[in-house]
Amino acid sequence: MTKLEKPHHHGDLREALVIAGIELMEENGVDALTLRKCAARAGVSHAAPAHHFKGIASLKIAIMARGHSFFATAIAKEMTRTPPDPMAQLQAVCQGYLVFANRHNPLFQLMFNSSNTDLSTITPAVAAEFLQNAHESYGLLKQACEPFENAPGAANSTEITVWSLVHGFAMLFNKDSSRAAPTGPIPEFAKILAGLELRIKPGL
Amino acid sequence: MTKLEKPHHHGDLREALVIAGIELMEENGVDALTLRKCAARAGVSHAAPAHHFKGIASLKIAIMARGHSFFATAIAKEMTRTPPDPMAQLQAVCQGYLVFANRHNPLFQLMFNSSNTDLSTITPAVAAEFLQNAHESYGLLKQACEPFENAPGAANSTEITVWSLVHGFAMLFNKDSSRAAPTGPIPEFAKILAGLELRIKPGL
DNA sequence: TGTACATCAGTGAACGCGCGTTCACTGATGTAC
DNA sequence: TGTACATCAGTGAACGCGCGTTCACTGATGTAC
């Protein structure tokens, strides 16, 4: 059988559907993600996905899981090419965060749109994969916040602050977004983060 | 004509459609917003809206404009019942921001979903109303940031920082959201904001 | 004050579209013997 | 090694659904005279 002949079995349709869904979104926005389009892009009839996903919601969660995997990779990549200084590492995490949100904006929107996170109708394995991958990307941010002091009387506050700050910045000032600041130029995120004047924990 | 008889003319269908759309979303999520459902809720045939809106996109923008009006009101309300101390005022703005995002979550999501902000197919008057109202709510936040110093070499940084912070916090930790922090308790936003240690501009 | 008429703002039927899902089917694969 | 058979993973047709939009229409309103 040559490559030109189309086999009855796809090989790894599940994987192909996830990738197709991501590509579809990146080309035409979040709303372009439908079962039928994913199937078409994977070169398969639109009834085929039913053998791999319980329904469109299930495919969405699988895509979100994959997204978080990419997300963690993007963040880790910035960290590894940055010296192990705490502030530099934290800047690197945020840089990875913003680069991902910018390059994969529709996927990013999907991942953080809570209305998609309806675990009830999902295969437990798919739900577990999603939660694990989301935990992985968050873990990198948490780890980078570890060396810094929290605000008085506020456990976790550095994580919460940095996550909120970088997430809000990504949502509001993403280059691709049509929502620009209604005022003046937007300072680079590095200056914004430096403005927090985070302090290293004593003894580190 | 008694109130029980249905008049041929609605009275103010445009207004009724905007309100119907907001109510629909608040009850059933952003995806529940359709022309046909809005018309039905306003007690009118589904062809009637065409006399008031160019299309569904136009209605969406009108709803977003109305949302920003409510948003500004919610923020202003918190400000007026708070003493004129700069930090207290800034906390009040954020309080209003978070209360609105929590109480009107689907509307809030719609308002800040940039993929809806496609001004090209919209009646100029509707687009202008949206921009003006969005500017109004942003103006309150900007005003409350005015007394504080910016980070060195970063004009606007206080606005950008506070807006990103409160917006990200609203997106990530909104009570109604199923996206809870994957770690520990979430400190109150007031503590997070206080942790920024913003400084009043000298001479104020 | 009354009448003719233009305009406005509804109705209801119909259109085509893309969607998710179901179903009987069939070709390909893998396994037992 | 060969054969029978169960299981897997596709196909293609069909289903009903809700959607936005269009259209001829009609009742209500407002205005000119």
Side-chain angles (χ1 to χ4, degrees), chain A residues 62-103:
Chain A
I63 288 174
M64 290 165 76
R66 178 59 56 93
H68 269 290
S69 172
F70 289 158
F71 190 34
T73 301
I75 293 171
K77 182 182 158 196
E78 295 289 337
M79 292 175 87
T80 55
R81 69 171 175 198
T82 300
D85 167 68
M87 192 59 201
Q89 284 291 304
L90 189 55
Q91 291 274 14
V93 166
C94 292
Q95 173 72 9
Y97 203 107
L98 294 172
V99 165
F100 181 87
N102 191 42
R103 289 217 191 120

Short mmCIF file of all heavy atoms in Angstrom, two decimals, chain A residues 62-103:
data_model
loop_
_atom_site.label_atom_id
_atom_site.label_comp_id
_atom_site.label_asym_id
_atom_site.label_seq_id
_atom_site.Cartn_x
_atom_site.Cartn_y
_atom_site.Cartn_z
N ALA A 62 -10.47 17.54 25.57
CA ALA A 62 -9.20 16.95 25.11
C ALA A 62 -8.31 18.02 24.50
O ALA A 62 -7.09 18.03 24.69
CB ALA A 62 -9.48 15.84 24.10
N ILE A 63 -8.92 18.93 23.76
CA ILE A 63 -8.15 20.03 23.16
C ILE A 63 -7.61 20.97 24.24
O ILE A 63 -6.46 21.42 24.19
CB ILE A 63 -9.02 20.80 22.15
CG1 ILE A 63 -9.22 19.95 20.90
CG2 ILE A 63 -8.40 22.14 21.79
CD1 ILE A 63 -10.17 20.53 19.89
N MET A 64 -8.43 21.23 25.24
CA MET A 64 -7.97 22.09 26.34
C MET A 64 -6.80 21.42 27.08
O MET A 64 -5.85 22.09 27.48
CB MET A 64 -9.13 22.36 27.29
CG MET A 64 -10.18 23.26 26.70
SD MET A 64 -11.74 23.24 27.62
CE MET A 64 -11.30 24.23 29.04
N ALA A 65 -6.90 20.11 27.24
CA ALA A 65 -5.81 19.38 27.89
C ALA A 65 -4.53 19.52 27.08
O ALA A 65 -3.46 19.82 27.63
CB ALA A 65 -6.19 17.91 28.06
N ARG A 66 -4.65 19.33 25.77
CA ARG A 66 -3.48 19.46 24.92
C ARG A 66 -2.92 20.88 24.98
O ARG A 66 -1.72 21.12 25.00
CB ARG A 66 -3.84 19.09 23.48
CG ARG A 66 -2.71 19.24 22.48
CD ARG A 66 -1.51 18.39 22.87
NE ARG A 66 -1.90 17.02 23.00
CZ ARG A 66 -1.83 16.12 22.04
NH1 ARG A 66 -1.34 16.46 20.88
NH2 ARG A 66 -2.22 14.88 22.26
N GLY A 67 -3.84 21.84 25.01
CA GLY A 67 -3.43 23.24 25.10
C GLY A 67 -2.60 23.50 26.34
O GLY A 67 -1.57 24.16 26.29
N HIS A 68 -3.03 22.95 27.46
CA HIS A 68 -2.27 23.15 28.70
C HIS A 68 -0.90 22.48 28.63
O HIS A 68 0.07 22.98 29.21
CB HIS A 68 -3.06 22.64 29.90
CG HIS A 68 -3.93 23.69 30.51
ND1 HIS A 68 -3.42 24.76 31.21
CD2 HIS A 68 -5.27 23.86 30.52
CE1 HIS A 68 -4.42 25.54 31.62
NE2 HIS A 68 -5.55 25.01 31.21
N SER A 69 -0.84 21.40 27.90
CA SER A 69 0.46 20.76 27.72
C SER A 69 1.40 21.67 26.93
O SER A 69 2.55 21.88 27.31
CB SER A 69 0.24 19.43 26.99
OG SER A 69 1.49 18.87 26.62
N PHE A 70 0.90 22.22 25.83
CA PHE A 70 1.69 23.19 25.04
C PHE A 70 2.07 24.40 25.89
O PHE A 70 3.18 24.92 25.81
CB PHE A 70 0.90 23.66 23.82
CG PHE A 70 0.72 22.64 22.75
CD1 PHE A 70 -0.31 22.75 21.82
CD2 PHE A 70 1.58 21.55 22.64
CE1 PHE A 70 -0.48 21.81 20.81
CE2 PHE A 70 1.42 20.60 21.64
CZ PHE A 70 0.38 20.73 20.72
N PHE A 71 1.10 24.84 26.67
CA PHE A 71 1.28 26.02 27.52
C PHE A 71 2.44 25.80 28.49
O PHE A 71 3.35 26.63 28.60
CB PHE A 71 -0.03 26.25 28.27
CG PHE A 71 -0.14 27.54 29.00
CD1 PHE A 71 0.44 28.71 28.53
CD2 PHE A 71 -0.89 27.61 30.18
CE1 PHE A 71 0.29 29.91 29.21
CE2 PHE A 71 -1.04 28.80 30.86
CZ PHE A 71 -0.44 29.95 30.39
N ALA A 72 2.42 24.65 29.16
CA ALA A 72 3.49 24.34 30.11
C ALA A 72 4.83 24.27 29.39
O ALA A 72 5.85 24.75 29.90
CB ALA A 72 3.19 23.02 30.82
N THR A 73 4.82 23.72 28.20
CA THR A 73 6.07 23.63 27.42
C THR A 73 6.61 25.02 27.09
O THR A 73 7.81 25.28 27.20
CB THR A 73 5.83 22.84 26.13
OG1 THR A 73 5.37 21.53 26.46
CG2 THR A 73 7.11 22.74 25.32
N ALA A 74 5.69 25.91 26.68
CA ALA A 74 6.11 27.27 26.32
C ALA A 74 6.72 27.98 27.52
O ALA A 74 7.73 28.70 27.40
CB ALA A 74 4.91 28.06 25.79
N ILE A 75 6.11 27.79 28.68
CA ILE A 75 6.63 28.44 29.88
C ILE A 75 7.97 27.84 30.29
O ILE A 75 8.93 28.56 30.59
CB ILE A 75 5.59 28.32 31.03
CG1 ILE A 75 4.35 29.15 30.68
CG2 ILE A 75 6.20 28.78 32.35
CD1 ILE A 75 3.18 28.94 31.64
N ALA A 76 8.03 26.51 30.25
CA ALA A 76 9.27 25.83 30.65
C ALA A 76 10.43 26.22 29.74
O ALA A 76 11.57 26.38 30.19
CB ALA A 76 9.06 24.32 30.64
N LYS A 77 10.12 26.40 28.46
CA LYS A 77 11.15 26.78 27.50
C LYS A 77 11.79 28.12 27.88
O LYS A 77 13.02 28.27 27.84
CB LYS A 77 10.52 26.88 26.11
CG LYS A 77 11.47 27.22 24.98
CD LYS A 77 10.69 27.33 23.66
CE LYS A 77 11.45 28.16 22.65
NZ LYS A 77 10.57 28.60 21.55
N GLU A 78 10.96 29.07 28.26
CA GLU A 78 11.49 30.37 28.68
C GLU A 78 12.32 30.24 29.95
O GLU A 78 13.34 30.92 30.12
CB GLU A 78 10.36 31.38 28.89
CG GLU A 78 9.58 31.73 27.65
CD GLU A 78 10.37 32.60 26.67
OE1 GLU A 78 11.33 33.27 27.09
OE2 GLU A 78 10.03 32.57 25.46
N MET A 79 11.87 29.37 30.83
CA MET A 79 12.59 29.22 32.11
C MET A 79 13.98 28.63 31.91
O MET A 79 14.94 29.07 32.53
CB MET A 79 11.78 28.33 33.07
CG MET A 79 10.49 28.98 33.55
SD MET A 79 9.50 27.84 34.57
CE MET A 79 10.24 28.14 36.18
N THR A 80 14.05 27.62 31.03
CA THR A 80 15.33 26.93 30.90
C THR A 80 16.39 27.80 30.23
O THR A 80 17.58 27.60 30.46
CB THR A 80 15.20 25.62 30.08
OG1 THR A 80 14.61 25.94 28.82
CG2 THR A 80 14.32 24.63 30.80
N ARG A 81 15.96 28.77 29.43
CA ARG A 81 16.97 29.61 28.82
C ARG A 81 17.19 30.91 29.59
O ARG A 81 17.66 31.90 29.04
CB ARG A 81 16.62 29.90 27.36
CG ARG A 81 15.43 30.79 27.16
CD ARG A 81 15.34 31.16 25.68
NE ARG A 81 14.17 31.92 25.34
CZ ARG A 81 13.72 32.03 24.09
NH1 ARG A 81 14.33 31.39 23.13
NH2 ARG A 81 12.66 32.75 23.83
N THR A 82 16.82 30.88 30.84
CA THR A 82 16.97 32.05 31.69
C THR A 82 17.79 31.66 32.91
O THR A 82 17.60 30.57 33.44
CB THR A 82 15.57 32.55 32.13
OG1 THR A 82 14.80 32.87 30.97
CG2 THR A 82 15.66 33.76 33.03
N PRO A 83 18.71 32.53 33.35
CA PRO A 83 19.52 32.21 34.54
C PRO A 83 18.64 31.99 35.76
O PRO A 83 17.52 32.52 35.83
CB PRO A 83 20.41 33.44 34.70
CG PRO A 83 19.89 34.49 33.78
CD PRO A 83 19.08 33.81 32.74
N PRO A 84 19.11 31.23 36.71
CA PRO A 84 18.29 30.80 37.86
C PRO A 84 18.06 31.86 38.92
O PRO A 84 17.71 31.53 40.03
CB PRO A 84 19.09 29.61 38.42
CG PRO A 84 20.50 29.90 38.05
CD PRO A 84 20.46 30.63 36.73
N ASP A 85 18.21 33.10 38.58
CA ASP A 85 17.85 34.18 39.51
C ASP A 85 16.34 34.24 39.68
O ASP A 85 15.59 34.18 38.69
CB ASP A 85 18.36 35.51 38.92
CG ASP A 85 17.78 36.70 39.65
OD1 ASP A 85 18.12 36.90 40.82
OD2 ASP A 85 16.93 37.40 39.04
N PRO A 86 15.86 34.35 40.91
CA PRO A 86 14.40 34.29 41.14
C PRO A 86 13.59 35.27 40.33
O PRO A 86 12.58 34.90 39.72
CB PRO A 86 14.28 34.58 42.64
CG PRO A 86 15.57 34.13 43.22
CD PRO A 86 16.61 34.40 42.17
N MET A 87 14.02 36.52 40.29
CA MET A 87 13.24 37.52 39.55
C MET A 87 13.28 37.23 38.06
O MET A 87 12.25 37.35 37.36
CB MET A 87 13.78 38.92 39.82
CG MET A 87 12.84 40.03 39.33
SD MET A 87 11.20 39.95 40.10
CE MET A 87 10.23 40.89 38.90
N ALA A 88 14.44 36.82 37.57
CA ALA A 88 14.56 36.49 36.15
C ALA A 88 13.65 35.31 35.80
O ALA A 88 13.01 35.29 34.75
CB ALA A 88 16.01 36.18 35.80
N GLN A 89 13.62 34.34 36.69
CA GLN A 89 12.76 33.17 36.45
C GLN A 89 11.28 33.56 36.41
O GLN A 89 10.52 33.09 35.57
CB GLN A 89 13.00 32.11 37.54
CG GLN A 89 14.29 31.33 37.36
CD GLN A 89 14.24 30.40 36.14
OE1 GLN A 89 13.36 29.57 36.02
NE2 GLN A 89 15.19 30.58 35.23
N LEU A 90 10.90 34.42 37.31
CA LEU A 90 9.49 34.84 37.34
C LEU A 90 9.14 35.63 36.08
O LEU A 90 8.08 35.42 35.47
CB LEU A 90 9.23 35.69 38.59
CG LEU A 90 7.76 36.01 38.86
CD1 LEU A 90 6.92 34.75 38.93
CD2 LEU A 90 7.61 36.81 40.16
N GLN A 91 10.07 36.47 35.66
CA GLN A 91 9.86 37.20 34.40
C GLN A 91 9.74 36.21 33.24
O GLN A 91 8.93 36.40 32.33
CB GLN A 91 11.02 38.16 34.14
CG GLN A 91 11.09 39.35 35.07
CD GLN A 91 10.22 40.54 34.64
OE1 GLN A 91 9.36 40.42 33.77
NE2 GLN A 91 10.44 41.69 35.28
N ALA A 92 10.53 35.16 33.29
CA ALA A 92 10.52 34.17 32.21
C ALA A 92 9.17 33.45 32.15
O ALA A 92 8.62 33.23 31.07
CB ALA A 92 11.64 33.16 32.41
N VAL A 93 8.65 33.10 33.30
CA VAL A 93 7.33 32.45 33.35
C VAL A 93 6.28 33.35 32.70
O VAL A 93 5.49 32.91 31.87
CB VAL A 93 6.94 32.11 34.79
CG1 VAL A 93 5.46 31.76 34.89
CG2 VAL A 93 7.78 30.97 35.34
N CYS A 94 6.34 34.61 33.08
CA CYS A 94 5.35 35.55 32.53
C CYS A 94 5.55 35.76 31.04
O CYS A 94 4.59 35.85 30.27
CB CYS A 94 5.43 36.88 33.27
SG CYS A 94 4.88 36.76 34.98
N GLN A 95 6.80 35.80 30.64
CA GLN A 95 7.10 35.93 29.21
C GLN A 95 6.51 34.74 28.45
O GLN A 95 5.84 34.92 27.42
CB GLN A 95 8.62 35.99 29.02
CG GLN A 95 9.11 35.94 27.58
CD GLN A 95 8.82 37.23 26.83
OE1 GLN A 95 8.41 38.22 27.44
NE2 GLN A 95 9.02 37.22 25.53
N GLY A 96 6.72 33.55 28.96
CA GLY A 96 6.15 32.37 28.31
C GLY A 96 4.63 32.43 28.28
O GLY A 96 4.00 32.07 27.28
N TYR A 97 4.07 32.88 29.37
CA TYR A 97 2.62 33.01 29.48
C TYR A 97 2.08 33.93 28.39
O TYR A 97 1.14 33.60 27.65
CB TYR A 97 2.29 33.59 30.85
CG TYR A 97 0.89 33.32 31.38
CD1 TYR A 97 0.69 32.42 32.42
CD2 TYR A 97 -0.22 33.99 30.88
CE1 TYR A 97 -0.57 32.18 32.93
CE2 TYR A 97 -1.49 33.76 31.39
CZ TYR A 97 -1.67 32.85 32.42
OH TYR A 97 -2.93 32.62 32.92
N LEU A 98 2.72 35.09 28.25
CA LEU A 98 2.23 36.09 27.30
C LEU A 98 2.50 35.68 25.86
O LEU A 98 1.67 35.93 24.98
CB LEU A 98 2.88 37.45 27.60
CG LEU A 98 2.45 38.05 28.95
CD1 LEU A 98 3.28 39.30 29.26
CD2 LEU A 98 0.97 38.38 28.95
N VAL A 99 3.64 35.05 25.63
CA VAL A 99 3.94 34.60 24.27
C VAL A 99 2.91 33.55 23.84
O VAL A 99 2.36 33.60 22.73
CB VAL A 99 5.37 34.02 24.19
CG1 VAL A 99 5.55 33.23 22.91
CG2 VAL A 99 6.39 35.15 24.27
N PHE A 100 2.61 32.64 24.73
CA PHE A 100 1.61 31.62 24.39
C PHE A 100 0.24 32.24 24.13
O PHE A 100 -0.41 31.93 23.14
CB PHE A 100 1.51 30.58 25.51
CG PHE A 100 0.52 29.49 25.21
CD1 PHE A 100 0.89 28.36 24.51
CD2 PHE A 100 -0.81 29.60 25.63
CE1 PHE A 100 -0.02 27.36 24.21
CE2 PHE A 100 -1.73 28.60 25.33
CZ PHE A 100 -1.34 27.48 24.63
N ALA A 101 -0.16 33.13 25.01
CA ALA A 101 -1.48 33.76 24.87
C ALA A 101 -1.56 34.54 23.56
O ALA A 101 -2.63 34.62 22.94
CB ALA A 101 -1.76 34.69 26.05
N ASN A 102 -0.42 35.07 23.14
CA ASN A 102 -0.40 35.86 21.91
C ASN A 102 -0.39 34.98 20.67
O ASN A 102 -1.15 35.20 19.73
CB ASN A 102 0.84 36.76 21.93
CG ASN A 102 0.79 37.79 20.84
OD1 ASN A 102 -0.25 38.38 20.58
ND2 ASN A 102 1.91 38.01 20.18
N ARG A 103 0.43 33.96 20.69
CA ARG A 103 0.58 33.11 19.51
C ARG A 103 -0.59 32.16 19.33
O ARG A 103 -0.90 31.75 18.22
CB ARG A 103 1.86 32.27 19.64
CG ARG A 103 3.09 33.10 19.49
CD ARG A 103 4.21 32.35 18.74
NE ARG A 103 5.44 33.11 18.86
CZ ARG A 103 6.55 32.64 19.43
NH1 ARG A 103 6.59 31.39 19.88
NH2 ARG A 103 7.61 33.39 19.50
#
